[in-house]
Structure formats: structure tokens, C-alpha cells
């Protein structure tokens, strides 16, 4: 199988696709570590095989946990958040090599942050510590069939107090990893919103093996190495100890974490873009036609150059957003929205160009390009559609009237 030089073999002279000149010493160390783990335990052939069999890479997840790369999301002992500038390095590298695992870690970093901020001592000991070590995984259950962007108003999943506990009922959909996780953080309406639709929603830390829970794996176009599920709660009885944070304030507690998810999603999309560009450039350098490599053809070369410009432009916005997040800059949410738009557009444009550059080879499942092409589409609408993010930037950055 030809893999587009995923292992760094036979790079063209002057190769800069995988060079990152903006890393701090700490970031460079983390990047070297994750690249080493990928090279040793997740070559393209293995990732492709797992993608084809739609199987989660338990072994590789364990390696990430052992290396401390999952625990980057928060310190179980202190509850302190990781530096977002470190998380994006891990996620970009995984996006370039093991995209389904990158999507998994976006969710785990969210869960770590929520548990570290709002979990009590028992929840932190029982779930947070093994999660940080790679011995546990969580799903994040927010979206519903009739509610994505406007989920607070559309939420139908509810929890009703019953004696000393709660009864949870409803259905969540598009939930990553629910079939292979031990717990889920579930948001459910527990009261009508007094001031806003986002009030009256509570977070619950729900064991997914509880009676009354059924999980159905959905057949998706991409991210085949991580299950995407519909989760149904049929009068699930929960102890009071399953409440995560403050009753009725769950959505407000989650908002800050959702902004972080947007930043991390941008990092994964950037990784996909870079991985696809790497594969396309490698193929164009090796493939011969009319007595020379097809990379010498001007029109094809320009499409690859445009991809490189998009990658570096998205990286600049991602770096600016991560710096703002680390500094507590109030404009972080706007920068992260810009970064996600730029990275998602780069990923979709470059994977499309890569398919054209590689022709029939790009269409073949022997090469990773078709996987990048499918996986990149996730970030045109998740965790928030690029159209909605453009609305947000128009209002917050350009001062235009609110359009939604």
C-alpha cells in the first residue's frame, strides 16, 4: 500500500509541509512526542484498516493516556485546565494522522474540563482520574434530532425529580463515542427557563450501562474509527450524586467549554488539511506523466500552493485564538470562531484538491486521501456550522446587525 509518505519517507527537496515554526519549546516537545507515538503505533495502514472495519483504536488510546496526552485536558489533582496551546498541538497532529482519535480527544478534553470544574470529590475520583490516565472515556450528549445550533430552545430530553433522585427521559443524537464509553455527560431540561432558554438545564454524569439506556450506532460518511450514536433514555433512574454542577445552570456551565471545543475542532481540521496536503504533494512528486512528475505541471502546482497558503493562514488564526484563550482575552470566542471557519474551509478545499490531484488513486481506499476527504466534512457543521459562526463574527467583529 502506498501511503503518501505518512512516515516521512522520500520527501521532496525543500519539504516544509510538516514544519511548524510557531511552536514554543513546550509545544515543540509535545509535537515531537505525539509524532513519535503516531509513527510507532498508528501508521497509515493501521488507521486505514481500523477505518474500514469501523473499529475504535483502544490500544492507541492507551498509549496516549500512558504518555499523559489525555490528561492535558485538566489536572485531576488540582482541577486546573491545561494550556489550550498544548491541546491544539496534540489535536492537530492526530488530525493529520489519526482523525477519528482526534475527534475522540476533543470530547475527552471537554469532559475533563467539565469534571474538573464542576465534579465533586467522588465524581473526580471515580471518573476524572481514570479518564486522565486513558482508562476511561466519556461521551458528551447535548444535540438532539430537532436541536443543534438552537438546542436550548429545542431540547426535549428532560429529568424530573423523584424522591431523592431523578428520572431521565428523551433522546440525544450525533453523540460521539457513546457505544464505547463508560459514562456520558448528559444535558437535560429540569425546569422552564426563567430568564432565558438556556436556564433550567442541568448536567448529569450518567453511567451508560444504566437500566433504560439504549444506544444505536449511526451509519456516517466519515470518522469511522469512532462511533456516532443515537442514545435513548427511557425513564432512567439516577441518583442525586449524578448531578454535575448546579441544578438548572448546566447550559451556562457548558458555554465556556463549548468555546474551547470550537478551538480544538479548528486544530483537528487544520491537521486534516495538513495531512491531506502532505499526501497530495507526496503523490504529485512521485507520479510520472509525460516524462516528468505531475508536480511540475503549473496548474496542479498552483492548487497545492493555494493549499499551503490556506494551511498557514488557518494556523495563524488558530495560534492567535489559543494565545487569547491562554491569556483570558475576552475576544477568544471571536478568534476561535474565525480559526474554525478558516481551518474547516482549508480542510474541505485541500481534500477536494487532493482528490483531483490524485485522480483514481485518491478515489481508492488504498490511499488516505479519500478518508481525509470524508472526515473533513464533519467540521463544516460541527461543533457549530460555519454559517452560524460567520453570523457570530459579523456581529462581534464587524459590528453588523445580528442576523439570527
Amino acid at each position: 500500500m502506498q501511503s503518501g509518505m505518512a512516515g516521512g519517507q522520500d520527501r521532496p527537496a525543500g519539504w516544509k509541509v510538516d514544519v511548524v515554526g510557531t511552536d514554543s519549546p513546550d509545544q515543540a516537545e509535545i509535537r515531537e512526542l505525539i509524532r513519535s507515538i503516531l509513527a510507532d503505533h498508528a501508521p497509515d495502514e493501521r488507521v486505514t484498516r481500523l477505518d474500514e472495519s469501523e473499529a475504535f483504536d483502544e490500544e492507541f488510546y492507551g498509549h496516549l493516556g500512558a504518555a499523559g496526552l489525555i490528561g492535558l485536558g485538566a489536572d485531576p489533582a488540582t482541577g486546573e485546565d491545561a494550556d489550550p496551546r498544548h491541546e491544539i498541538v496534540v489535536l492537530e497532529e492526530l488530525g493529520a494522522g489519526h482523525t477519528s482519535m482526534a475527534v475522540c480527544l476533543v470530547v475527552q478534553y471537554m469532559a475533563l474540563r467539565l469534571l474538573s470544574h464542576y465534579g465533586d470529590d467522588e465524581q473526580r475520583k471515580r471518573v476524572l482520574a481514570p479518564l486522565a490516565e486513558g482508562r476511561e472515556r466519556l461521551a458528551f450528549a447535548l444535540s438532539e434530532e430537532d436541536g443543534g445550533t438552537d438546542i436550548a430552545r429545542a431540547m426535549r430530553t428532560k429529568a424530573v425529580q423523584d424522591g431523592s433522585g431523578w428520572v431521565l427521559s428523551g433522546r440525544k443524537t450525533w453523540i460521539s463515542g457513546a457505544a464505547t464509553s463508560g459514562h456520558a455527560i448528559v444535558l437535560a431540561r429540569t425546569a422552564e427557563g426563567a430568564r432565558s432558554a438556556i436556564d433550567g438545564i442541568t448536567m448529569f454524569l450518567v453511567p451508560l450501562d444504566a437500566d433504560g439506556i439504549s444506544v444505536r450506532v449511526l451509519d456516517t460518511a466519515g470518522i469511522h474509527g469512532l462511533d456516532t450514536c443515537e442514545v435513548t433514555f427511557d425513564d432512567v433512574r439516577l441518583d442525586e450524586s449524578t448531578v454535575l454542577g448546579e441544578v438548572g445552570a448546566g447550559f451556562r456551565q457548558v458555554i465556556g467549554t463549548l468555546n474551547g471545543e470550537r478551538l480544538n475542532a479548528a486544530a483537528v481540521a487544520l491537521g486534516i488539511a495538513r495531512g491531506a496536503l502532505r499526501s497530495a504533494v507526496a503523490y504529485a512528486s512521485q507520479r510520472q506523466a509525460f516524462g516528468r512528475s505531475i508536480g511540475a505541471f503549473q496548474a496542479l502546482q498552483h492548487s497545492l500552493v493555494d493549499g499551503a497558503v490556506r494551511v498557514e493562514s488557518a494556523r495563524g488564526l488558530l495560534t492567535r485564538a489559543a494565545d487569547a484563550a491562554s491569556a483570558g482575552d475576552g475576544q477568544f470566542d471571536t478568534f476561535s470562531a474565525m480559526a474554525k471557519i478558516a481551518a474547516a474551509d482549508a480542510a474541505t478545499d485541500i481534500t477536494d484538491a487532493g482528490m483531483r490531484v490524485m485522480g483514481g488513486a485518491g478515489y481508492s481506499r488504498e490511499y488516505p486521501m479519500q478518508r481525509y476527504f470524508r472526515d473533513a466534512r464533519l467540521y463544516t457543521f460541527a461543533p457549530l456550522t460555519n454559517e452560524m459562526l460567520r453570523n457570530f463574527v459579523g456581529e462581534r467583529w464587524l459590528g453588523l446587525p445580528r442576523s439570527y
Side-chain angles (χ1 to χ4, degrees), residues 12 21 112 170 223 228 236 239 248 262 268 317 354:
L112 281 157
I223 316 296
T228 301
V236 180
D239 295 334
R262 188 183 303 159
V268 180
L317 279 168

Side-chain angles (χ1 to χ4, degrees), residues 1-4 43-54 219-222 224 355 358-374:
M1 179 187 298
Q2 301 180 53
S3 61
D44 275 346
E45 293 83 356
R46 175 182 174 82
V47 175
T48 297
R49 185 172 68 252
L50 291 166
D51 185 77
E52 288 292 315
S53 60
E54 301 191 8
D219 191 8
T220 59
H224 285 172
M355 293 287 284
M358 294 179 68
Y363 209 58
S364 168
R365 289 184 176 180
E366 289 189 32
Y367 291 82
M369 185 58 71
Q370 49 80 29
R371 174 169 55 83
Y372 289 129
F373 180 86
R374 290 183 286 107

Side-chain angles (χ1 to χ4, degrees), residues 13 21 47 62 71 83 114 129-130 154 175 192 202 219 224 236 253 259 264 314 338 355 370 384-385:
V47 175
D83 189 327
L114 290 170
I175 310 305
E192 292 302 317
T202 302
D219 191 8
H224 285 172
V236 180
Q253 293 166 342
N259 288 333
N264 285 346
M338 290 181 177
M355 293 287 284
Q370 49 80 29
L384 201 62
T385 67

Side-chain angles (χ1 to χ4, degrees), residues 103-114:
V103 176
C104 174
L105 251 64
V106 170
V107 178
Q108 304 319 303
Y109 286 156
M110 289 178 64
L112 281 157
R113 189 165 285 112
L114 290 170

Side-chain angles (χ1 to χ4, degrees), residues 13-139:
W15 179 272
K16 295 291 190 296
V17 175
D18 290 323
V19 175
V20 179
T22 57
D23 281 350
S24 68
D26 285 345
Q27 286 177 303
E29 183 178 350
I30 293 170
R31 196 178 298 275
E32 183 178 354
L33 174 60
I34 185 64
R35 285 184 176 181
S36 175
I37 295 172
L38 281 163
D40 290 343
H41 303 288
D44 275 346
E45 293 83 356
R46 175 182 174 82
V47 175
T48 297
R49 185 172 68 252
L50 291 166
D51 185 77
E52 288 292 315
S53 60
E54 301 191 8
F56 183 77
D57 196 342
E58 297 278 1
E59 180 181 338
F60 187 76
Y61 185 78
H63 287 302
L64 293 177
L69 295 173
I70 299 173
L72 278 177
D75 186 332
T78 65
E80 293 182 3
D81 288 345
D83 189 327
R85 295 171 296 188
H86 295 166
E87 287 183 11
I88 63 171
V89 171
V90 177
L91 293 169
E92 181 193 338
E93 292 302 325
L94 288 176
H98 204 327
T99 310
S100 293
M101 189 62 67
V103 176
C104 174
L105 251 64
V106 170
V107 178
Q108 304 319 303
Y109 286 156
M110 289 178 64
L112 281 157
R113 189 165 285 112
L114 290 170
L115 282 166
S116 66
H117 285 193
Y118 303 110
D120 58 31
D121 289 342
E122 189 276 334
Q123 291 168 332
R124 289 159 62 95
K125 179 180 179 181
R126 177 169 53 88
V127 181
L128 178 59
L131 174 60
E133 295 168 4
R135 296 184 289 110
E136 170 72 281
R137 285 196 304 281
L138 269 72

